Amino acid sequence: MKKLSKVQLKQQALVLDVADKIEAKGRADIPGMLQCWFDVEYHLFPGSLLMCFQFEDEQALAAAEPDILKWQKRLSGAMLKKGVILKDMRKHLVFTLKGPDD
Protein backbone atom coordinates (compact mmCIF):
# COMPACT_ATOMS: atom_id res chain seq x y z
CA MET A 1 0.00 0.00 0.00
CA LYS A 2 1.29 3.41 -0.96
CA LYS A 3 2.08 5.92 1.78
CA LEU A 4 -0.42 8.77 2.05
CA SER A 5 0.66 12.34 1.31
CA LYS A 6 0.17 15.16 3.83
CA VAL A 7 -3.00 16.26 2.04
CA GLN A 8 -4.34 12.70 2.02
CA LEU A 9 -3.55 12.34 5.75
CA LYS A 10 -5.60 15.50 6.40
CA GLN A 11 -8.44 14.06 4.32
CA GLN A 12 -8.23 10.80 6.26
CA ALA A 13 -8.39 12.64 9.61
CA LEU A 14 -11.38 14.65 8.38
CA VAL A 15 -13.26 11.54 7.22
CA LEU A 16 -12.47 9.66 10.46
CA ASP A 17 -13.73 12.57 12.55
CA VAL A 18 -16.99 12.84 10.60
CA ALA A 19 -17.45 9.03 10.60
CA ASP A 20 -16.96 8.84 14.38
CA LYS A 21 -19.55 11.56 15.01
CA ILE A 22 -22.10 10.12 12.55
CA GLU A 23 -21.58 6.61 13.93
CA ALA A 24 -22.15 7.73 17.53
CA LYS A 25 -25.35 9.56 16.54
CA GLY A 26 -26.53 6.65 14.38
CA ARG A 27 -25.97 4.01 17.05
CA ALA A 28 -27.89 6.15 19.53
CA ASP A 29 -30.79 6.91 17.15
CA ILE A 30 -31.16 3.79 14.99
CA PRO A 31 -32.05 0.46 16.62
CA GLY A 32 -30.07 -2.46 15.22
CA MET A 33 -27.19 -0.43 13.80
CA LEU A 34 -23.90 -2.20 14.49
CA GLN A 35 -21.27 0.12 13.09
CA CYS A 36 -20.36 2.74 10.54
CA TRP A 37 -17.50 2.04 8.17
CA PHE A 38 -16.23 3.73 5.07
CA ASP A 39 -14.20 3.17 1.95
CA VAL A 40 -12.36 5.95 0.16
CA GLU A 41 -9.68 6.35 -2.47
CA TYR A 42 -7.92 9.51 -1.37
CA HIS A 43 -6.64 10.38 -4.85
CA LEU A 44 -10.32 10.55 -5.94
CA PHE A 45 -11.61 12.25 -2.77
CA PRO A 46 -14.39 13.32 -2.14
CA GLY A 47 -16.07 11.58 -5.07
CA SER A 48 -14.89 8.13 -3.95
CA LEU A 49 -16.17 8.38 -0.36
CA LEU A 50 -18.64 5.63 0.51
CA MET A 51 -19.88 5.45 4.08
CA CYS A 52 -21.88 2.40 5.17
CA PHE A 53 -24.15 1.89 8.15
CA GLN A 54 -24.07 -1.82 8.97
CA PHE A 55 -27.14 -3.42 10.52
CA GLU A 56 -27.48 -6.64 12.50
CA ASP A 57 -30.36 -8.12 10.48
CA GLU A 58 -32.76 -7.59 7.60
CA GLN A 59 -35.55 -6.41 9.93
CA ALA A 60 -33.44 -3.61 11.44
CA LEU A 61 -32.27 -2.60 7.96
CA ALA A 62 -35.84 -2.45 6.64
CA ALA A 63 -36.98 -0.39 9.64
CA ALA A 64 -34.17 2.15 9.13
CA GLU A 65 -34.46 2.42 5.33
CA PRO A 66 -37.12 5.21 5.32
CA ASP A 67 -34.66 7.49 7.18
CA ILE A 68 -31.71 7.05 4.81
CA LEU A 69 -32.20 10.46 3.16
CA LYS A 70 -32.00 12.16 6.57
CA TRP A 71 -28.66 10.44 7.26
CA GLN A 72 -27.34 11.26 3.79
CA LYS A 73 -28.16 14.93 4.47
CA ARG A 74 -26.39 14.71 7.85
CA LEU A 75 -23.27 13.29 6.23
CA SER A 76 -23.34 15.96 3.53
CA GLY A 77 -23.82 18.70 6.14
CA ALA A 78 -21.04 17.39 8.37
CA MET A 79 -18.64 17.23 5.42
CA LEU A 80 -19.68 20.72 4.30
CA LYS A 81 -18.82 22.08 7.76
CA LYS A 82 -15.33 20.66 7.21
CA GLY A 83 -15.12 22.38 3.82
CA VAL A 84 -15.84 19.32 1.66
CA ILE A 85 -18.70 19.41 -0.84
CA LEU A 86 -20.36 16.09 -1.73
CA LYS A 87 -21.98 16.72 -5.12
CA ASP A 88 -24.49 13.85 -4.95
CA MET A 89 -25.11 13.00 -1.30
CA ARG A 90 -27.11 9.88 -2.23
CA LYS A 91 -23.95 8.20 -3.58
CA HIS A 92 -21.96 8.58 -0.38
CA LEU A 93 -24.01 6.83 2.32
CA VAL A 94 -25.76 3.45 2.19
CA PHE A 95 -27.41 1.10 4.66
CA THR A 96 -26.18 -2.50 4.45
CA LEU A 97 -25.89 -5.86 6.19
CA LYS A 98 -22.32 -6.32 4.95
CA GLY A 99 -19.30 -5.52 7.05
CA PRO A 100 -16.05 -3.93 5.93
CA ASP A 101 -14.47 -7.35 5.32
CA ASP A 102 -17.35 -8.85 3.30
Side-chain angles (χ1 to χ4, degrees):
M1 189 167 145
K2 195 170 107 176
K3 198 172 167 184
L4 297 177
S5 71
K6 287 185 179 187
V7 170
Q8 290 170 331
L9 288 171
K10 286 181 181 179
Q11 291 169 341
Q12 183 182 44
L14 180 146
V15 173
L16 284 170
D17 182 50
V18 169
D20 287 343
K21 289 177 181 172
I22 294 248
E23 178 180 26
K25 182 83 172 131
R27 287 179 29 177
D29 292 358
I30 306 173
M33 183 184 154
L34 296 176
Q35 66 178 343
C36 170
W37 56 273
F38 66 89
D39 183 37
V40 67
E41 293 178 39
Y42 293 103
H43 64 284
L44 298 174
F45 183 79
S48 66
L49 176 65
L50 176 62
M51 195 167 289
C52 300
F53 281 15
Q54 182 182 351
F55 289 86
E56 59 189 24
D57 57 32
E58 194 68 48
Q59 188 176 12
L61 177 64
E65 201 66 45
D67 289 335
I68 192 166
L69 183 60
K70 173 175 76 173
W71 289 96
Q72 290 168 335
K73 286 180 180 178
R74 283 187 179 166
L75 172 61
S76 183
M79 294 299 281
L80 188 59
K81 284 181 183 176
K82 299 282 186 176
V84 176
I85 297 171
L86 299 178
K87 290 185 180 178
D88 183 4
M89 66 183 173
R90 288 182 168 90
K91 286 186 356 185
H92 299 285
L93 182 105
V94 295
F95 289 177
T96 184
L97 295 174
K98 295 181 180 177
D101 300 326
D102 294 341

